[in-house]
Amino acid sequence: IQFSPTSTNPNSCHFFSAAKAAAYDSGAEKFRDFDVFLIEETQKSAGVDPKSTPVKPPYYILEQGTCCCPDDDLIETLEECKEASETLGYNINDMSTSDNPWNGRLTSIPPGCMTGVRDYGNHLHFNSELTSTSSRSDFIPICKDVTQNSASVDPKSTPDDPPPAAPPTSTQNVGKAVEIQNGKVCDPNRWLGLQTVEDCMALILADDSCNQAFFNHATNGDQNCGCVTDTSVDCSSANQQDHPVVRIYQIQVPTSGCSPFRQEITGDIPGAGDLGSLQLLDVSQCKAECCARTDCKAIQFSPTSTNPNSCHFFSAAKAAAYDSGAEKFRDFDVFLIEETQKSAGVDPKSTPSDIHQLPRTADGFTLVFRQKVTSGTWLRSADEWSVNSHDSAAEQYSILDQLEQFRWPDGKLVLRLEWPELSPSQQTWKQTLNPVTATPGSSSRPVDGYEPIDVRYTGVEWGGLERSTNSQALLDGSVNSESWWYSVGLRDAFGGKIPGPDAKAVSEVLMYAQLPQAQFRSCSTVNCAAGEDNKGSGTSYSNPGICTSTSRHLLFASTPGGFESFEVRTVAKGAHCCCVGVTKSAVCGPFQHEKTGDIPGAGDLQIFSLNDVDKCKAKCCENPKCKAIQFSPTSTNLPKCHLFSRAAADQYDPSKSKFRDFDVFLKK
């Protein structure tokens, strides 16, 4: 193939047959920025030895604002300065200035070759005052590497440094390098020499003195491979320093060839691992080590323990002794391989027996998804809709495979996204489309049946949730677009973050769905006398379906947007009493509509721009301090919904003039 990261005309990616590929000429002038990639057998026919070591770039750069190149590495001619600039990708022909490169003699800037950082690009300079010892904040010195053992980002390395070790020759897939930071280096660092990202990762994993979860790589420079020498540091959140050419990578160790693990956050396997233990930094490494052992059927892992070791391996016999009711040992979590789960009395394929039993928010939303950036494995794989389905408190959680159960009688899903670190942090809407079962690329914007309820973010082509059209995420909200903002189920790291709303990157995303009133679990049948009111103790809205024979309230919620009022109804003898609502002591409403009078001032609790009085009532029901609302169906220059405390509501005066068309609703 030939590929250009910038070209649109011609197309960026071109495919070649064996005959055409054999015509590759390494001495020919390169076409624009199109790089050639040869499959191994083609390399031989094109006269390229696929086993040969790539020629290492003979130039490197220092940090911006520093000085100077070592004496032996100082570039002494303008011609070589131009060559170095082109080699490192600073194309002087692209710069829109007449004196590029600048050629002069000053003692106030670094000696030799450098590039100046300008608004319009990089401006090449050559200073023939080779004895200068000055630095300047806007210059990046360019040096030549006479040793061919580059120190692209470490000018303190010397020719006495050991040559780079060869990466392991094993063909085993040792892991995946995922970029988490661009323009950063994780300290403390030791440079090992020039390697590709993949070979650098293999080199790091073969060296026990290096951090086994993170490494540095001069991807934007000369491809130097960096070993993080603090084996316990978490580079995703600590020890990051700015660096123009370095990127930080996280090693995600695969567990392929191994049945899925299920995390048990309670219970214990008695004793230490009967197959041994290791001190490992990351649970993914512990899982990978277990997968490499044919007799390992479970692990216990602690993110903090050093004595005993953090990772313990168990045989099938020992794993079968797992007791979910036993006291947990310190912070060691148990991870059971699928076939082991069965012997331990756990059904790995099971889902929560009843989604109605899952915890809900005060306004009736059930958590169906959570993804959080962590130091361990947090990215999703293709079609990974169920994750830790029995543990809604887990940092990685999903029951998206059950989303269809949340559909309302009107055919719509009521959904909510939450980004805890943002303000506002949520938005709520309805849509008919089930994004999990939809075909990628089939959605129009907005998605079918889209209806905003409380939507705060509408940028980057928001239009509800769709099945993502690319491989970066499972779902996204940039509908009918190549972008994947509002990501749910990110598959490839986005600079170590998750694409959130309005082009904001976040560390955590949660998704909720609201159960419809028609699907709340009902109570057992109660034989009521004819004409008798249903009276009694009510039941908890946050945990419906636990009514007793004394529960007689028939409570109704109004709309997906929230509660209207809760009413006591008269039913015929033998009717089915459905417990839907909150406890009797906390029943919300009904609201008494006052069409005259006024509560002085604006809402002293909260103010919302809502277009529906029922949604305004719902907001009042969510706030235990709310005792009244004022609502206008027409107001444009003032928010329509105002929430008042008891003290403010007590100032309601029915004899006062009504403020515009704001009606008062007093909560009984």
Side-chain angles (χ1 to χ4, degrees):
I1 62 169
Q2 272 192 288
F3 179 80
S4 160
T6 62
S7 182
T8 56
N9 183 17
N11 286 337
S12 60
C13 181
H14 291 249
F15 309 98
F16 298 91
S17 66
K20 194 72 182 287
Y24 164 68
D25 182 357
S26 61
E29 183 179 358
K30 183 175 178 178
F31 178 69
R32 297 184 186 167
D33 61 347
F34 276 83
D35 285 345
V36 176
F37 298 82
L38 300 173
I39 293 177
E40 185 167 307
E41 57 266 28
T42 312
Q43 298 173 23
K44 298 173 183 175
S45 63
V48 178
D49 178 7
K51 305 295 187 186
S52 63
T53 304
V55 177
K56 301 171 183 176
Y59 303 105
Y60 65 94
I61 64 174
L62 302 183
E63 292 191 22
Q64 182 175 333
T66 62
C67 180
C68 303
C69 297
D71 291 344
D72 290 342
D73 291 0
L74 188 63
I75 295 175
E76 298 179 349
T77 67
L78 175 60
E79 289 69 26
E80 188 175 12
C81 183
K82 292 179 181 179
E83 179 185 346
S85 175
E86 294 286 347
T87 300
L88 293 174
Y90 301 121
N91 190 346
I92 61 175
N93 295 323
D94 291 342
M95 299 299 101
S96 56
T97 178
S98 59
D99 65 341
N100 193 23
W102 177 90
N103 183 16
R105 188 182 185 96
L106 292 173
T107 58
S108 58
I109 62 174
C113 188
M114 72 206 79
T115 182
V117 180
R118 303 290 185 267
D119 292 340
Y120 53 77
N122 292 287
H123 186 178
L124 188 64
H125 283 61
F126 179 74
N127 182 17
S128 58
E129 183 54 68
L130 301 181
T131 60
S132 172
T133 58
S134 299
S135 61
R136 207 168 87 178
S137 61
D138 58 338
F139 281 115
I140 300 174
I142 300 175
C143 314
K144 60 184 177 182
D145 185 2
V146 295
T147 67
Q148 288 296 305
N149 181 23
S150 167
S152 68
V153 289
D154 185 1
K156 296 183 176 60
S157 65
T158 69
D160 295 331
D161 291 341
T169 57
S170 168
T171 58
Q172 179 184 3
N173 181 12
V174 294
K176 178 183 178 183
V178 177
E179 178 192 321
I180 61 171
Q181 286 291 349
N182 189 345
K184 301 279 188 181
V185 62
C186 184
D187 287 333
N189 178 70
R190 182 178 77 249
W191 295 105
L192 304 179
L194 309 189
Q195 303 285 352
T196 65
V197 172
E198 291 74 18
D199 285 348
C200 179
M201 177 185 65
L203 194 62
I204 296 299
L205 290 174
D207 187 344
D208 291 340
S209 68
C210 297
N211 190 308
Q212 297 293 287
F214 302 92
F215 66 94
N216 298 309
H217 189 263
T219 310
N220 304 343
D222 70 350
Q223 313 297 302
N224 210 338
C225 175
C227 161
V228 180
T229 56
D230 183 341
T231 58
S232 63
V233 69
D234 180 356
C235 295
S236 65
S237 58
N239 290 34
Q240 295 182 4
Q241 304 296 330
D242 292 337
H243 204 294
V245 300
V246 179
R247 303 183 187 188
I248 302 173
Y249 290 83
Q250 181 174 359
I251 300 174
Q252 293 186 351
V253 181
T255 57
S256 56
C258 202
S259 298
F261 285 85
R262 170 165 153 176
Q263 182 177 4
E264 305 292 340
I265 60 173
T266 61
D268 183 47
I269 300 175
D274 60 332
L275 300 180
S277 64
L278 291 173
Q279 184 61 36
L280 297 174
L281 179 66
D282 191 275
V283 67
S284 63
Q285 298 170 352
C286 188
K287 291 178 181 178
E289 185 66 28
C290 180
C291 288
R293 306 179 182 204
T294 56
D295 53 350
C296 180
K297 300 303 178 186
I299 62 171
Q300 273 192 288
F301 180 81
S302 160
T304 62
S305 182
T306 56
N307 183 16
N309 283 337
S310 61
C311 176
H312 289 249
F313 308 101
F314 297 90
S315 65
K318 195 74 183 286
Y322 164 69
D323 182 358
S324 61
E327 183 178 357
K328 184 175 179 178
F329 179 68
R330 296 184 189 168
D331 61 348
F332 277 83
D333 284 346
V334 175
F335 296 81
L336 301 173
I337 292 178
E338 185 168 305
E339 58 266 29
T340 312
Q341 297 171 23
K342 298 173 182 175
S343 63
V346 179
D347 179 7
K349 301 294 187 186
S350 67
T351 54
S353 57
D354 191 339
I355 58 173
H356 304 84
Q357 296 287 0
L358 294 173
R360 283 199 288 275
T361 62
D363 52 348
F365 280 84
T366 300
L367 180 69
V368 296
F369 176 88
R370 178 189 289 112
Q371 186 174 31
K372 186 173 183 179
V373 177
T374 65
S375 58
T377 300
W378 59 274
L379 295 171
R380 298 292 193 264
S381 59
D383 299 321
E384 192 176 11
W385 304 110
S386 178
V387 179
N388 294 325
S389 61
H390 284 75
D391 181 13
S392 61
E395 291 181 328
Q396 315 306 330
Y397 170 74
S398 176
I399 55 168
L400 286 175
D401 56 332
Q402 301 178 66
L403 189 60
E404 190 61 33
Q405 295 192 53
F406 291 84
R407 191 174 293 280
W408 281 67
D410 63 0
K412 293 193 175 184
L413 298 167
V414 184
L415 305 176
R416 172 178 292 167
L417 284 176
E418 180 179 355
W419 307 276
E421 65 211 82
L422 300 183
S423 181
S425 63
Q426 297 179 343
Q427 63 188 35
T428 308
W429 75 99
K430 305 181 196 177
Q431 63 181 68
T432 303
L433 179 76
N434 183 338
V436 174
T437 58
T439 302
S442 62
S443 302
S444 57
R445 185 169 59 247
V447 298
D448 290 345
Y450 174 78
E451 180 182 339
I453 294 176
D454 188 8
V455 171
R456 309 297 186 89
Y457 299 100
T458 58
V460 287
E461 301 166 297
W462 164 257
L465 278 182
E466 66 168 355
R467 185 75 175 267
S468 196
T469 56
N470 54 53
S471 61
Q472 306 298 322
L474 297 177
L475 310 176
D476 69 66
S478 293
V479 180
N480 197 19
S481 163
E482 289 300 315
S483 299
W484 57 100
W485 298 105
Y486 308 89
S487 281
V488 173
L490 189 67
R491 297 180 58 195
D492 286 316
F494 185 78
K497 295 274 191 172
I498 300 169
D502 285 7
K504 302 176 188 294
V506 298
S507 300
E508 184 177 13
V509 59
L510 301 95
M511 177 177 165
Y512 298 84
Q514 190 183 50
L515 278 168
Q517 179 260 330
Q519 289 190 20
F520 282 153
R521 287 186 57 186
S522 57
C523 313
S524 59
T525 300
V526 178
N527 293 320
C528 306
E532 180 183 80
D533 281 351
N534 286 303
K535 301 176 181 177
S537 63
T539 183
S540 170
Y541 177 84
S542 63
N543 189 16
I546 56 171
C547 306
T548 68
S549 60
T550 59
S551 297
R552 297 291 188 272
H553 275 298
L554 215 70
L555 305 175
F556 292 88
S558 62
T559 68
F563 314 128
E564 177 180 5
S565 63
F566 296 92
E567 306 173 23
V568 177
R569 298 287 180 88
T570 301
V571 297
K573 182 178 180 179
H576 193 77
C577 295
C578 183
C579 296
V580 180
V582 295
T583 56
K584 182 180 179 182
S585 61
V587 167
C588 185
F591 286 87
Q592 181 173 313
H593 186 180
E594 305 289 345
K595 298 182 180 180
T596 61
D598 183 48
I599 299 175
D604 62 330
L605 291 180
Q606 292 172 290
I607 299 173
F608 297 96
S609 295
L610 298 174
N611 295 320
D612 189 293
V613 67
D614 290 336
K615 295 174 184 176
C616 187
K617 291 176 182 177
K619 291 294 184 183
C620 184
C621 287
E622 292 172 14
N623 190 330
K625 295 182 179 180
C626 180
K627 300 303 176 184
I629 65 169
Q630 273 193 285
F631 180 82
S632 162
T634 63
S635 180
T636 56
N637 64 334
L638 288 176
K640 297 180 179 180
C641 174
H642 293 246
L643 273 57
F644 296 90
S645 66
R646 179 178 298 278
D650 287 345
Q651 297 181 44
Y652 166 67
D653 184 349
S655 64
K656 282 192 173 183
S657 298
K658 183 176 177 178
F659 179 70
R660 297 183 186 170
D661 62 348
F662 277 84
D663 283 351
V664 174
F665 296 81
L666 301 175
K667 188 166 70 172
K668 290 190 174 181

